[in-house]
Amino acid sequence: MKAFRSISAEGFLIFVHMHNQPIGVFDSGYGGLTVLRELHASLPGYDFIYLGDNARAPYGPKDFETVYEYSLQAVKWLFDKGCPLVILACNTASAKALRTIQQEDLPQIGEEKRVLGVIRPTAEIIGNYSHSGHVGILGTQGTINSDSYRIETNKFFPEVKLTQQVCKEWVDLVEKNKTGTEEAEQIVQADLQTLISKDNEIDTILLGCTHYPLLLPVIRKFIDKDIKVVTQGKIVAESLKHYLQRHPDMDKRITKERILEFYSTGNVGDFEAHASLFFGKEITAKFTIL
Ligand code: DGL
């Protein structure tokens, strides 16, 4: 909490306490930390608060209603913590909950709160990475079955041929810290082979799940070295920077004390032990219930 001096209506000197108004970053678990890492690098002075719903991850196999309900709880929790702006750093939540939250919940919640996702900024740019015009998208069941990437990418790159692949077990491999195992190699190899067998002209693969960058060394083992693998962190960070430039009122509301806070609905010891793999630095976290 920050205090600053002001003059009251009666002319007295008073101290006004201003609560932090960080940018909220939400994911079903650890994955959003790969996005937060880039947000923090690109907006280093800004305050952020991270919420991982590790206790209820993965969201990928859950139905629309459940992902929406959990995501809305998380967004409200972050609003209660003072966030004027929340980033759903989760493709599954962006695919299944973002539109309803923006269109139906925000008008009721009011107070000029905003929620942004990760699919739109990625779709706006993904076609630029490909020379062949053939792009592969890897994601959870929720993201791929929603067809959000095809719908959004078509708006910006109607000529690009998208081929999508559900990677059912990848989030679990990451959440359970099994990325270096033989099991991970077998699963990743099988899913990549299926993707490439559907379209062998793919020259760009998007990791359309914020957990997947942790599997990058394994992914690289099983694909041609000429294929580009695109992760979302920097794309989302660049897009947020532009958003704040276009919305100076929102930018002003976000406090800039370099405060980073981390919360998990799961075991905090586990979260602290694994989070540095995703975030790149040691962190301390607090437990919360949604
Ligand atoms: N990081 C989430 C995403 O980007 C993972 C979803 C899950 O929990 O299955 O989709």
Side-chain angles (χ1 to χ4, degrees):
M1 197 158 58
K2 187 161 99 174
F4 59 92
R5 283 187 289 184
S6 182
I7 304 293
S8 73
E10 297 81 21
F12 296 113
L13 179 67
I14 54 169
F15 287 91
V16 177
H17 290 284
M18 195 176 106
H19 285 277
N20 287 321
Q21 301 203 107
I23 298 173
V25 180
F26 168 66
D27 181 49
S28 60
Y30 294 113
L33 290 167
T34 62
V35 175
L36 178 62
R37 181 180 184 157
E38 299 300 338
L39 297 180
H40 180 53
S42 123
L43 299 165
Y46 288 59
D47 296 345
F48 291 95
I49 179 165
Y50 185 85
L51 173 62
D53 191 9
N54 299 76
R56 302 190 293 195
Y59 278 16
K62 295 187 167 63
D63 60 32
F64 174 91
E65 274 308 320
T66 308
V67 174
Y68 164 64
E69 187 192 321
Y70 290 179
S71 304
L72 182 59
Q73 284 170 359
V75 164
K76 285 184 171 167
W77 186 92
L78 286 162
F79 284 166
D80 287 345
K81 286 278 176 195
C83 302
L85 172 67
V86 171
I87 312 292
L88 297 185
C90 173
N91 289 268
T92 312
S94 299
K96 290 185 145 188
L98 178 64
R99 185 181 290 252
T100 317
I101 291 175
Q102 284 176 331
Q103 294 180 351
E104 290 174 24
D105 298 296
L106 285 189
Q108 289 174 36
I109 294 167
E111 298 171 56
E112 299 183 324
K113 304 278 192 189
R114 294 287 176 271
V115 182
L116 303 173
V118 291
I119 293 181
R120 175 79 179 216
T122 310
E124 278 176 12
I125 203 166
I126 190 65
N128 294 339
Y129 288 89
S130 173
H131 292 299
S132 68
H134 292 246
V135 174
I137 310 272
L138 303 175
T140 66
Q141 291 110 297
T143 301
I144 302 302
N145 296 341
S146 74
D147 219 21
S148 300
Y149 268 107
R150 192 182 308 285
I151 295 163
E152 291 300 324
T153 305
N154 258 336
K155 294 178 190 162
F156 303 99
F157 302 99
E159 70 290 356
V160 165
K161 182 174 176 341
L162 279 194
T163 303
Q164 307 193 75
Q165 176 65 33
V166 172
C167 304
K168 263 193 187 162
E169 290 129 308
W170 291 26
V171 169
D172 239 24
L173 291 174
V174 173
E175 283 287 313
K176 296 192 176 137
N177 208 18
K178 295 206 272 187
T179 54
T181 61
E182 208 168 298
E183 181 189 355
E185 297 217 343
Q186 282 166 7
I187 291 170
V188 169
Q189 183 178 23
D191 287 331
L192 289 171
Q193 268 172 2
T194 311
L195 175 75
I196 300 296
S197 70
K198 290 192 255 183
D199 179 0
N200 63 12
E201 286 183 67
I202 288 172
D203 69 349
T204 303
I205 295 178
L206 168 72
L207 305 188
C209 170
T210 55
H211 280 68
Y212 296 175
L214 268 283
L215 285 161
L216 206 47
V218 190
I219 294 168
R220 285 260 54 128
K221 270 192 183 178
F222 298 111
I223 52 166
D224 194 291
K225 64 174 180 4
D226 297 330
I227 296 181
K228 279 185 213 130
V229 181
V230 179
T231 57
Q232 296 177 287
K234 286 197 169 67
I235 296 174
V236 176
E238 203 50 30
S239 165
L240 179 61
K241 224 173 165 175
H242 291 148
Y243 175 86
L244 293 173
Q245 281 162 4
R246 293 195 311 278
H247 297 86
D249 287 351
M250 174 58 81
D251 190 42
K252 265 189 227 131
R253 288 165 66 195
I254 296 160
T255 46
K256 299 167 185 77
E257 303 282 306
R258 298 176 176 269
I259 296 169
L260 280 176
E261 281 190 279
F262 298 86
Y263 287 84
S264 170
T265 60
N267 181 302
V268 169
D270 284 351
F271 190 87
E272 289 179 345
H274 298 145
S276 61
L277 289 172
F278 296 78
F279 189 61
K281 291 186 199 152
E282 296 293 321
I283 61 129
T284 50
K286 292 177 206 143
F287 173 72
T288 191
I289 302 174
L290 289 179

